[in-house]
């Protein structure tokens, strides 16, 4: 995860945080301001790597300065949080652990920035 976070930092600021949302107190720290909020959801929109890069590029081109990706628990997201989402996105129809999903997401974010920058990235 740290390797991909370091790679992403070549293109954009990144912060990786793990929060447990079991209590209202822990949810108080979730402030998104004007961020674009993406929920990882098996039933969400599926992208190819190129389509995902285009989506990130379109967010950038529309002046969106911050994108927040949220990976929820098996029970899903609290209604208030789910209602704040701009997009529900699926990494795969398969189920993955949170750790693996975060790693796969980080790799795809890095791949998107590399594609947007015209750098070759192996397929």
């Amino acid at each position: 995860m740290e390797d991909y976070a370091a790679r992403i930092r070549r293109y954009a600021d990144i912060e990786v945080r793990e929060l447990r949302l079991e209590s209202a107190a822990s949810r108080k720290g979730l402030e998104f301001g004007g961020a674009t909020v993406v929920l990882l959801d098996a039933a969400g929109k599926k992208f190819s790597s190129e389509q995902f890069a285009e989506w990130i590029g379109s967010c950038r081109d529309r002046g969106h300065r911050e994108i927040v990706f949220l990976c929820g628990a098996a029970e899903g997201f609290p209604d208030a949080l789910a209602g704040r989402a701009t997009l529900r996105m699926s990494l795969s129809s398969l189920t993955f652990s949170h750790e693996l999903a975060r790693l796969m997401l980080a790799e795809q974010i890095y791949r998107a920035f590399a594609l947007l920058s015209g750098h070759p990235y192996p397929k």
Side-chain angles (χ1 to χ4, degrees):
M1 186 64 209
E2 280 305 313
D3 179 51
Y4 282 112
R7 292 179 190 205
I8 292 166
R9 284 186 188 98
R10 296 178 197 157
Y11 302 101
D13 292 333
I14 180 174
E15 179 182 346
V16 179
R17 285 194 288 165
E18 184 172 337
L19 302 171
R20 300 287 180 195
L21 300 177
E22 290 87 17
S23 70
S26 62
R27 288 191 293 271
K28 283 185 180 181
L30 288 176
E31 297 293 330
F32 302 123
T36 299
V37 178
V38 179
L39 300 184
L40 297 185
D41 182 342
K45 180 174 177 58
K46 291 180 175 33
F47 290 100
S48 68
S49 294
E50 292 80 8
Q51 290 169 329
F52 183 57
E54 288 174 15
W55 181 82
I56 287 184
S58 71
C59 287
R60 176 201 60 203
D61 294 346
R62 290 190 317 265
H64 296 232
R65 308 253 329 132
E66 185 175 8
I67 303 174
V68 175
F69 292 92
L70 299 172
C71 181
E75 307 81 43
F77 295 94
D79 291 338
L81 189 56
R84 176 65 178 83
T86 305
L87 173 69
R88 288 177 180 260
M89 179 180 131
S90 174
L91 292 175
S92 171
S93 299
L94 299 171
T95 302
F96 299 104
S97 68
H98 285 76
E99 295 83 7
L100 185 54
R102 280 194 308 262
L103 180 62
M104 290 171 44
L105 176 63
E107 190 278 337
Q108 286 300 304
I109 292 169
Y110 169 67
R111 183 182 296 265
F113 280 121
L115 290 169
L116 290 169
S117 297
H119 293 141
Y121 192 93
K123 294 185 180 207

